[in-house]
Amino acid sequence: MKYGGYTGKILRVLLDAGDFRTESLPTEWIREYIGGDGFAARLLYEEVPGQIDALSPENKLLIATGPITGTLWPMSGRTVFVSKAALTGIWGESHVGGFLGPELKYAGYDMLVVEGAAEKPVYILIEDNDLQIIDASDLWGMTTNDVTAAIKDRHKDPEIQVAAIGPAGEYKVRFAAVIVNNARAAGRTGMGAVLGSKNVKAIAIRGTGSVEVHDHEGFTELAKRAHQRVRENPQAQEMGRWGTWILTAVKQEIGELPTYNHRTGVFSGWEKLSAGYIRPRYTISDRACFGCSLGCKKMNYVREGLFAGTLEEGPEYEGLMAFGSSLGIDDYPTTLKANQVCNRYGMDIISAGATIGFAMEAFENGIIDEKDTGGLRLEWGDREMTIRLLEMMGRREGFGDILAEGSAKAAAKIGKGAEQYALHVKGMEISGQDGRTHRSIGLGHATGARGADHLRSLVVVDQLGYEDIAAERWGADKLPEIIDPYTEKHKANAVFESENSYCIRDTLIVCWYSVSWPPIFWMQDFADMLPLATGVKEFGSVDTLTEIAERQVNLKRIFNAREGISRKDDNLPSRFTDEPMPEGPGKGQVVDLEPMLDDYYRLRGWDLETGLPTNETIRRLSLEWTAKYP
Amino acid sequence: MKYGGYTGKILRVLLDAGDFRTESLPTEWIREYIGGDGFAARLLYEEVPGQIDALSPENKLLIATGPITGTLWPMSGRTVFVSKAALTGIWGESHVGGFLGPELKYAGYDMLVVEGAAEKPVYILIEDNDLQIIDASDLWGMTTNDVTAAIKDRHKDPEIQVAAIGPAGEYKVRFAAVIVNNARAAGRTGMGAVLGSKNVKAIAIRGTGSVEVHDHEGFTELAKRAHQRVRENPQAQEMGRWGTWILTAVKQEIGELPTYNHRTGVFSGWEKLSAGYIRPRYTISDRACFGCSLGCKKMNYVREGLFAGTLEEGPEYEGLMAFGSSLGIDDYPTTLKANQVCNRYGMDIISAGATIGFAMEAFENGIIDEKDTGGLRLEWGDREMTIRLLEMMGRREGFGDILAEGSAKAAAKIGKGAEQYALHVKGMEISGQDGRTHRSIGLGHATGARGADHLRSLVVVDQLGYEDIAAERWGADKLPEIIDPYTEKHKANAVFESENSYCIRDTLIVCWYSVSWPPIFWMQDFADMLPLATGVKEFGSVDTLTEIAERQVNLKRIFNAREGISRKDDNLPSRFTDEPMPEGPGKGQVVDLEPMLDDYYRLRGWDLETGLPTNETIRRLSLEWTAKYP
């Protein structure tokens, strides 16, 4: 391999044949896609045909790393799961922290491709060149923490990294997650269901090699300074102490805390879901992923009450929202218990909570009743019922079976107007933001490649801390409007700028919390670092990186277009476009999506009518080859 | 330190002062006691006065190691907890495997002495010279697996060895255990209650040093050969494959499988509790303690039924008996679930099961009814109720509060003749053997220093595999009677011989499963090894070792005498002496204890009337100093 930072190898797990195959990484991909998300998009588009069932053996599941995964660069331990999504049938990806990605690199592979389907339950064991597909009949049915412990125990190695599915993945719950290190979730879009459909209970990886960058000395020096920047950043320190829980108070203050299934943006019980309340009462230790000096993960313990005895990591802000304010529950232990159930069963906490919120609102409005639910009264704020229903979803028991389809499919099944309470974009449930009080979010949710997204499309360039970036890119005169959350003006620029930066972040792959919030590293930092890591001089230009980012966004768009996605699908639930925010700081606000879409399409080089890349854009980004793979 | 194998240091945890003190190990103890049990008996007798309340701050809890703990010698990872016993008020000790003992040695200490009591919950952290008493208010109430995970997590070191109590220790359940490595139990006599009474939630140890033996080369060579003997021993291989579960079939065959609270010795449902049945259906991996190539511990998983989802290590044969045959339950998952509850709550599975058996028989005979139990019907074979009652005991809830006192104290509280169903000696519940069908066991149960014991007094010299030892020590002509289970003849010799050998085993400390069964190592092997390890030439003589063993047995006896123990307490429940075995191979058998006691006292040099050491014995073993400590 002539490039630094890569192993140069792709490992394929051929489940049909019960075998493995190692291939060289096509080196031309490096300059065009860098790695991570980019590599995965390139391979998935070519190898998984359009219109197939995501839960069929034709689908593939990829685990990809980037050129600095497992190196000294701060927070470089993340990895990405990519597949045609079980939840939405379109582009699916889900990033995860922990230590899995570095382990895959140390084992000698840039990417893992799981294809076909096993006849009976198996787990995949990768120990450097020692590759095994092992019968998992005796592990089937286990929760993720149990199967993780069992595999480490069986192979007598506590350092084996295990990515596992729980019962939800086995039952192909549409939003089933893959859980790494017991509590780090590749949560969204249903990666767990794809693994479950392939009869793969877990992927266990152990590597003893290392990652060699192009310029060891230069890279190491830069990485050291990068760590220092992380350590000295006051917002990073705050994130280390409070984790994403700090967002509860922020969101409440600006009237954007999703409450009662996004009906409003303020929650009377917000304080009990806030960092200052939770940490002294429940947190017993901090945790960090590979190469992270922030440590935003928190271990928590509930000493008394309904969920006494619960010891679990997380939830993030999104979990506080999904099982707290959004369900009218002002109780941290309930959100912790929900997080535990989601981790152990292997479910995405956002989609799970949002689907329960959908059901509660449908129940409140008489669209479903106790006959439908098997006697459960789905009332806001009912903590015990909420956890019970969540467990039923994880095992597809009773009414849980319908909700296990996710809110969009469940609403379609239920009919009778239930659809209006299913808050999703392209089938994926809306995350813990609200376009009405943060207009760029509206555009991000509507255009995100995997549906309503808070990680690939959540915009920050219009927020405090990013003034320099925004002013430099779009002009200081535009700054007042850029940071005004209640205008549609310039929001496409903000989305475009943020999304491009995230694309590079996700090719590397580094953590959200050094790029997106707080803004420690941005495009120029990656341009400084990437040539040292890889030896590719062109990566030293922000323009080149922007082009690579654009290529990634467009490739995912073309992937979705093949599944029938176009402008009509870049929408928002009517709650955000037609129901003014009823109270709080953002009272009266709605999203006017169409002008923002026009602006965004223009920036992306997409046809205003179809919302798809023009031929010119396809040529400019060298994506003509996509036409070959229908 | 001029002796090999010792660190030469005792570490005291002074809970009252919130401080530590390091002392030199009195080197004269080495020649008189070797280590382990011996050291602990020496210190406890001197420092804990007679007649005190075991749960008062005056009591001390010791963790002791031996000269080869943490060395290359096979199975040298065990350690012993010693204290005045919460269950019985007499000599208390409980050995445990895992990795705790070696870690204490590597941290630089031969023995840990925990004294006084903390004002509020704490845990003790020992990292070499870094010693801390840390507030554990936020960990109080946790199960043992949770607190173990929390401490490892908090100190970012998965290798820290944690000995923890669960809720049962906090509630001072009389048979509360200390749990090491989540599933290794210092089970018997209530060590967990003593720690609980001192407000100590856990002891966490991490050492980075090493153990240096006297003759490194010679010792290493011998240790290598010793490992080979273990590996090549067919019985050891059997134990590695099946664990102690193999005993179920053996016990059933000889009519000694305790059934319905020892009412009989055969169980119709024995097969479902046997190794051949369990392993293929439930076992998912094997586990081993420090330095062990046997690996007798089994991880098990229940896939369906009432206890579906249970993943847990163990139980041993004793657990199969205590929650299986003894309660009329022919269901392995129930015993596994019981083991999980016992591990997590921190309870001794033998005493817990026996106490439930006592309650069931008392219920059957109308001595207690549903008014006493809060509505529970204590019926043989009721799996769900059994687990529920066990959990109630662990938290002292309702009727569980009475049973948490152990069967002897519970029976005394209940009165109305309940005592006849409380099967204990000196307050400790009878283990999974029966003196009627194995006469030497009757004598061992009656005379064991900590009460009805299966580890310090369980005799093997009268069993298959030990013919050479028995013939050599007592004459080949006596062999037929020695191995006849139904005669009292020569049984005192067998007990004397086994007990002495175990004493040396427990000074070292090595595992039962290389000495007691199968008979891989015996006195001569220790005589060959100890001079190489320690540099003490006198240890090379079996006679010297026998004298040290006798000293240990006598010192414990004197400890008990101070608490009022004498011949009257060396008894057996009338079930074994007056109720003939009702069926099976041993039908009609009873124990005739008194002649065996006479024989045993003579061998030990004890007065036939009082059952206490004569002055001559005390002089011969240099135990005159004990008179100083009333």
Side-chain angles (χ1 to χ4, degrees):
Chain A
M1 191 71 188
K2 64 174 179 168
Y3 298 100
Y6 302 92
T7 70
K9 281 197 286 185
I10 298 173
L11 178 64
R12 286 185 193 265
V13 188
L14 312 170
L15 292 170
D16 290 335
D19 205 355
F20 293 83
R21 193 172 72 227
T22 307
E23 296 171 356
S24 292
L25 176 74
T27 50
E28 64 274 18
W29 289 6
I30 293 176
R31 282 161 203 268
E32 291 179 25
Y33 301 96
I34 300 176
D37 255 28
F39 283 178
R42 178 65 185 80
L43 191 144
L44 194 74
Y45 186 84
E46 179 175 336
E47 298 193 6
V48 171
Q51 306 291 334
I52 62 148
D53 178 358
L55 298 179
S56 74
E58 285 177 281
N59 198 3
K60 301 189 179 186
L61 182 130
L62 282 54
I63 304 181
T65 67
I68 60 165
T69 305
T71 68
L72 290 176
W73 191 264
M75 312 178 189
S76 61
R78 291 181 76 82
T79 188
V80 60
F81 285 69
V82 169
S83 191
K84 178 170 182 175
L87 181 64
T88 58
I90 60 171
W91 169 260
E93 69 176 303
S94 195
H95 293 242
V96 66
F99 300 79
L100 184 75
E103 211 65 36
L104 182 61
K105 285 283 283 277
Y106 300 158
Y109 311 101
D110 290 316
M111 190 149 52
L112 187 72
V113 182
V114 182
E115 48 189 81
E119 266 181 39
K120 53 180 187 176
V122 298
Y123 65 98
I124 297 162
L125 181 68
I126 297 166
E127 296 179 305
D128 296 330
N129 295 324
D130 188 4
L131 309 169
Q132 295 180 63
I133 296 172
I134 301 174
D135 183 22
S137 305
D138 56 346
L139 309 178
W140 205 246
M142 280 191 181
T143 54
T144 60
N145 58 326
D146 280 351
V147 73
T148 298
I151 289 174
K152 290 182 182 206
D153 203 64
R154 184 175 283 180
H155 298 285
K156 315 278 177 244
D157 186 351
E159 302 295 318
I160 289 178
Q161 295 300 313
V162 181
I165 64 168
E170 298 178 10
Y171 284 108
K172 300 173 199 64
V173 171
R174 290 275 171 186
F175 44 85
V178 178
I179 305 290
V180 175
N181 292 110
N182 293 318
R184 311 255 47 76
R188 306 221 72 185
T189 73
M191 292 298 153
V194 175
L195 269 191
S197 75
K198 296 182 176 310
N199 267 322
V200 174
K201 180 69 182 170
I203 301 170
I205 306 177
R206 185 76 162 98
T208 60
S210 58
V211 185
E212 284 177 35
V213 292
H214 170 74
D215 175 352
H216 179 78
E217 214 164 302
F219 179 82
T220 303
E221 181 54 36
L222 198 67
K224 269 164 68 178
R225 275 187 278 142
H227 274 284
Q228 198 172 350
R229 275 169 68 184
V230 173
R231 278 196 305 275
E232 290 174 358
N233 186 294
Q235 288 162 304
Q237 288 164 10
E238 213 180 24
M239 177 67 93
R241 175 142 185 82
W242 303 107
T244 53
W245 296 338
I246 43 175
L247 287 169
T248 305
V250 174
K251 295 287 185 189
Q252 171 74 9
E253 202 185 339
I254 60 174
E256 199 197 340
L257 183 65
T259 301
Y260 300 115
N261 196 32
H262 284 267
R263 211 146 63 190
T264 176
V266 289
F267 180 49
S268 60
W270 70 274
E271 215 163 342
K272 286 190 172 168
L273 301 172
S274 68
Y277 186 91
I278 298 169
R279 185 172 172 111
R281 286 171 178 80
Y282 300 104
T283 303
I284 59 161
S285 60
D286 302 287
R287 281 181 166 181
C289 299
F290 176 93
C292 178
S293 49
L294 231 108
C296 73
K297 307 307 175 201
K298 311 297 166 208
M299 273 301 279
N300 307 280
Y301 183 63
V302 178
R303 267 171 287 282
E304 51 193 12
L306 185 57
F307 299 114
T310 305
L311 175 72
E312 188 69 26
E313 192 183 304
E316 303 286 328
Y317 157 73
E318 289 287 342
L320 293 183
M321 175 283 301
F323 279 86
S325 56
S326 183
L327 304 183
I329 293 172
D330 61 347
D331 180 52
Y332 176 71
T334 307
T335 67
L336 187 68
K337 184 70 189 176
N339 205 44
Q340 183 173 74
V341 174
C342 283
N343 284 341
R344 295 191 174 179
Y345 281 64
M347 287 187 279
D348 172 30
I349 196 166
I350 302 176
S351 283
T355 301
I356 292 177
F358 147 76
M360 284 182 179
E361 195 168 5
F363 189 91
E364 184 181 33
N365 286 282
I367 289 171
I368 52 174
D369 60 23
E370 286 164 87
K371 281 198 295 292
D372 300 302
T373 64
L376 285 182
R377 296 189 55 77
L378 308 188
E379 282 169 356
W380 302 111
D382 187 335
R383 304 182 297 150
E384 202 162 0
M385 177 279 292
T386 294
I387 298 301
R388 177 149 162 55
L389 183 57
L390 180 62
E391 289 172 339
M392 288 167 64
M393 287 157 70
R395 285 190 299 258
R396 284 189 178 270
E397 279 176 17
F399 185 60
D401 184 32
I402 291 173
L403 298 188
E405 290 293 295
S407 59
K409 288 189 172 68
K413 239 178 198 167
I414 292 165
K416 298 184 277 182
E419 290 87 346
Q420 66 182 302
Y421 305 117
L423 305 186
H424 68 91
V425 177
K426 300 182 178 73
M428 188 160 91
E429 288 74 16
I430 298 265
S431 50
Q433 300 78 34
D434 193 310
R436 290 171 292 185
T437 47
H438 195 169
R439 221 63 114 235
S440 61
I441 292 288
L443 178 59
H445 277 162
T447 57
R450 60 178 186 168
D453 201 307
H454 69 296
L455 294 171
R456 245 103 260 133
S457 306
L458 182 65
V459 176
V460 294
V461 173
D462 56 352
Q463 292 184 48
L464 291 176
Y466 290 83
E467 291 88 345
D468 293 351
I469 294 168
E472 189 195 325
R473 287 286 288 177
W474 311 105
D477 58 315
K478 299 207 180 76
L479 199 57
E481 283 178 339
I482 286 176
I483 64 171
D484 177 356
Y486 301 144
T487 170
E488 279 76 14
K489 280 186 192 162
H490 312 304
K491 290 305 177 283
N493 301 45
V495 170
F496 179 78
E497 182 68 18
S498 296
E499 204 176 25
N500 285 345
S501 180
Y502 302 167
C503 279
I504 301 306
R505 177 198 72 194
D506 295 343
T507 62
L508 295 176
I509 310 171
V510 294
C511 182
W512 227 90
Y513 301 132
S514 64
V515 180
S516 317
W517 198 96
I520 309 176
F521 306 112
W522 205 254
M523 284 287 215
Q524 185 59 53
D525 302 298
F526 301 139
D528 294 343
M529 175 271 288
L530 268 172
L532 297 171
T534 62
V536 180
K537 288 206 187 71
E538 296 90 315
F539 290 161
S541 148
V542 169
D543 287 344
T544 302
L545 296 186
T546 303
E547 189 183 303
I548 293 170
E550 288 189 77
R551 183 174 296 119
Q552 196 195 110
V553 172
N554 276 274
L555 180 51
K556 291 178 186 174
R557 185 69 172 183
I558 296 169
F559 185 100
N560 281 345
R562 197 169 57 172
E563 304 298 337
I565 295 292
S566 66
R567 179 165 185 151
K568 71 182 186 311
D569 305 293
D570 291 348
N571 55 24
L572 286 175
S574 61
R575 173 143 294 166
F576 303 97
T577 53
D578 298 345
E579 295 178 26
M581 181 66 84
E583 58 183 327
K587 186 174 177 180
Q589 296 290 332
V590 290
V591 185
D592 185 8
L593 187 61
E594 301 306 322
M596 293 197 290
L597 281 181
D598 287 347
D599 290 350
Y600 178 76
Y601 291 170
R602 276 186 206 104
L603 285 165
R604 283 269 168 247
W606 293 355
D607 181 81
L608 290 193
E609 200 167 322
T610 64
L612 300 181
T614 61
N615 287 337
E616 194 203 322
T617 302
I618 288 175
R619 264 196 309 276
R620 182 170 66 85
L621 299 172
S622 313
L623 288 167
E624 300 93 332
W625 61 270
T626 56
K628 279 203 296 183
Y629 302 98
Chain B
M1 191 73 190
K2 64 172 179 166
Y3 297 99
Y6 303 91
T7 70
K9 281 197 287 186
I10 297 173
L11 178 64
R12 285 184 194 267
V13 188
L14 312 170
L15 292 170
D16 290 336
D19 207 355
F20 292 83
R21 194 171 71 226
T22 307
E23 295 172 356
S24 291
L25 175 76
T27 50
E28 65 273 19
W29 289 7
I30 293 175
R31 279 161 204 269
E32 291 179 23
Y33 302 96
I34 300 176
D37 254 30
F39 283 178
R42 178 66 185 79
L43 191 145
L44 194 76
Y45 187 85
E46 179 175 337
E47 298 193 7
V48 171
Q51 304 293 332
I52 61 149
D53 178 358
L55 297 179
S56 74
E58 286 177 281
N59 198 4
K60 300 188 180 187
L61 181 130
L62 282 54
I63 304 180
T65 67
I68 60 166
T69 305
T71 68
L72 290 176
W73 191 264
M75 312 179 191
S76 62
R78 291 182 75 82
T79 187
V80 59
F81 285 69
V82 168
S83 190
K84 179 169 181 177
L87 181 65
T88 58
I90 62 171
W91 170 259
E93 69 176 303
S94 195
H95 293 242
V96 66
F99 300 80
L100 185 74
E103 211 65 35
L104 182 61
K105 287 282 284 277
Y106 300 156
Y109 312 101
D110 290 316
M111 190 150 52
L112 187 72
V113 182
V114 182
E115 48 188 81
E119 266 180 38
K120 54 180 186 176
V122 298
Y123 66 97
I124 298 162
L125 181 68
I126 298 165
E127 295 179 305
D128 295 331
N129 294 325
D130 188 4
L131 309 169
Q132 296 180 62
I133 296 172
I134 301 173
D135 183 22
S137 305
D138 57 346
L139 309 178
W140 204 247
M142 278 189 182
T143 54
T144 61
N145 58 327
D146 279 351
V147 72
T148 298
I151 289 174
K152 290 181 181 206
D153 203 62
R154 184 174 283 180
H155 298 285
K156 314 277 177 247
D157 186 352
E159 301 295 316
I160 289 178
Q161 295 300 314
V162 180
I165 63 168
E170 297 178 11
Y171 284 109
K172 300 173 199 66
V173 171
R174 291 276 171 186
F175 44 85
V178 178
I179 305 290
V180 176
N181 291 108
N182 294 319
R184 311 256 47 76
R188 305 222 73 184
T189 74
M191 292 296 151
V194 174
L195 267 192
S197 75
K198 297 184 177 308
N199 266 322
V200 174
K201 180 69 183 169
I203 301 169
I205 306 177
R206 185 74 162 98
T208 60
S210 59
V211 185
E212 284 177 35
V213 293
H214 170 73
D215 175 353
H216 179 77
E217 215 164 302
F219 179 82
T220 303
E221 182 51 38
L222 199 66
K224 269 163 65 180
R225 275 188 278 143
H227 273 286
Q228 199 173 349
R229 275 170 68 184
V230 173
R231 278 195 306 274
E232 290 174 357
N233 186 295
Q235 287 162 303
Q237 287 164 8
E238 213 180 26
M239 178 67 93
R241 174 139 186 86
W242 303 107
T244 53
W245 297 337
I246 43 174
L247 286 170
T248 304
V250 174
K251 295 288 184 188
Q252 171 74 10
E253 200 186 340
I254 61 175
E256 198 198 341
L257 183 65
T259 302
Y260 301 115
N261 196 32
H262 284 267
R263 213 147 63 189
T264 176
V266 288
F267 180 50
S268 59
W270 72 273
E271 213 162 344
K272 287 190 172 170
L273 301 172
S274 67
Y277 186 90
I278 299 169
R279 185 170 173 110
R281 284 171 180 79
Y282 300 104
T283 303
I284 59 162
S285 59
D286 302 287
R287 281 181 166 181
C289 299
F290 177 92
C292 178
S293 49
L294 229 107
C296 73
K297 308 307 175 199
K298 311 296 166 208
M299 273 300 279
N300 307 280
Y301 182 63
V302 180
R303 266 171 287 282
E304 52 193 11
L306 186 57
F307 299 114
T310 305
L311 175 72
E312 188 68 27
E313 192 184 303
E316 304 286 328
Y317 157 73
E318 289 286 342
L320 293 183
M321 175 283 303
F323 278 86
S325 56
S326 183
L327 304 184
I329 294 172
D330 61 348
D331 179 52
Y332 175 71
T334 306
T335 69
L336 187 69
K337 184 69 188 175
N339 204 44
Q340 183 174 72
V341 174
C342 283
N343 283 342
R344 294 191 174 179
Y345 281 65
M347 288 187 280
D348 172 31
I349 196 167
I350 302 175
S351 283
T355 301
I356 292 177
F358 147 76
M360 284 182 177
E361 194 167 6
F363 189 92
E364 184 181 35
N365 287 282
I367 289 171
I368 51 175
D369 60 22
E370 286 164 89
K371 282 196 296 289
D372 300 302
T373 64
L376 285 182
R377 296 190 55 78
L378 309 188
E379 282 170 355
W380 302 113
D382 186 334
R383 304 181 298 149
E384 201 162 1
M385 177 278 293
T386 295
I387 298 300
R388 178 152 158 55
L389 184 57
L390 181 62
E391 289 173 338
M392 289 166 63
M393 289 158 69
R395 284 191 299 258
R396 283 188 177 273
E397 278 176 18
F399 186 61
D401 185 30
I402 292 172
L403 299 188
E405 290 293 295
S407 60
K409 287 187 174 67
K413 241 178 195 170
I414 292 166
K416 298 184 276 184
E419 290 87 344
Q420 66 181 302
Y421 306 116
L423 305 187
H424 68 91
V425 177
K426 302 182 178 72
M428 189 161 89
E429 288 73 15
I430 298 264
S431 50
Q433 300 77 33
D434 194 310
R436 290 172 292 188
T437 46
H438 195 168
R439 223 60 117 235
S440 62
I441 291 288
L443 178 60
H445 276 162
T447 57
R450 60 177 186 168
D453 202 308
H454 68 295
L455 294 172
R456 246 101 261 132
S457 306
L458 182 65
V459 176
V460 293
V461 173
D462 56 352
Q463 292 184 48
L464 291 176
Y466 290 83
E467 291 88 346
D468 292 351
I469 294 167
E472 188 194 327
R473 288 287 289 177
W474 310 106
D477 58 315
K478 299 208 180 75
L479 200 56
E481 284 177 336
I482 286 176
I483 63 170
D484 178 354
Y486 301 144
T487 170
E488 280 76 15
K489 279 186 193 164
H490 311 304
K491 290 304 175 284
N493 301 45
V495 170
F496 179 78
E497 181 67 19
S498 296
E499 204 175 24
N500 285 346
S501 179
Y502 301 166
C503 278
I504 301 306
R505 176 197 72 194
D506 294 343
T507 64
L508 296 177
I509 311 168
V510 294
C511 182
W512 228 90
Y513 301 131
S514 64
V515 180
S516 315
W517 198 95
I520 309 176
F521 306 112
W522 205 251
M523 284 289 215
Q524 186 58 54
D525 301 297
F526 301 139
D528 293 341
M529 176 270 288
L530 268 172
L532 296 172
T534 63
V536 180
K537 287 206 187 70
E538 297 91 316
F539 290 161
S541 147
V542 169
D543 287 345
T544 302
L545 297 186
T546 303
E547 188 183 304
I548 292 169
E550 287 190 78
R551 183 173 297 118
Q552 196 197 111
V553 172
N554 275 274
L555 180 51
K556 291 178 186 175
R557 185 70 171 182
I558 296 169
F559 185 100
N560 281 346
R562 198 168 57 170
E563 305 298 338
I565 295 293
S566 67
R567 178 166 184 149
K568 71 182 184 314
D569 304 293
D570 291 347
N571 55 25
L572 286 175
S574 60
R575 173 142 296 165
F576 303 98
T577 53
D578 297 346
E579 295 179 27
M581 182 64 82
E583 58 183 328
K587 186 174 177 178
Q589 296 290 332
V590 288
V591 184
D592 185 9
L593 188 60
E594 301 305 324
M596 292 198 290
L597 281 182
D598 286 347
D599 290 350
Y600 178 75
Y601 289 170
R602 276 187 206 104
L603 285 166
R604 283 268 169 246
W606 294 354
D607 181 83
L608 290 194
E609 200 165 323
T610 64
L612 300 180
T614 62
N615 287 338
E616 193 204 324
T617 302
I618 287 174
R619 264 196 310 277
R620 181 170 68 85
L621 299 171
S622 312
L623 287 168
E624 299 95 334
W625 62 270
T626 56
K628 280 203 298 184
Y629 302 99

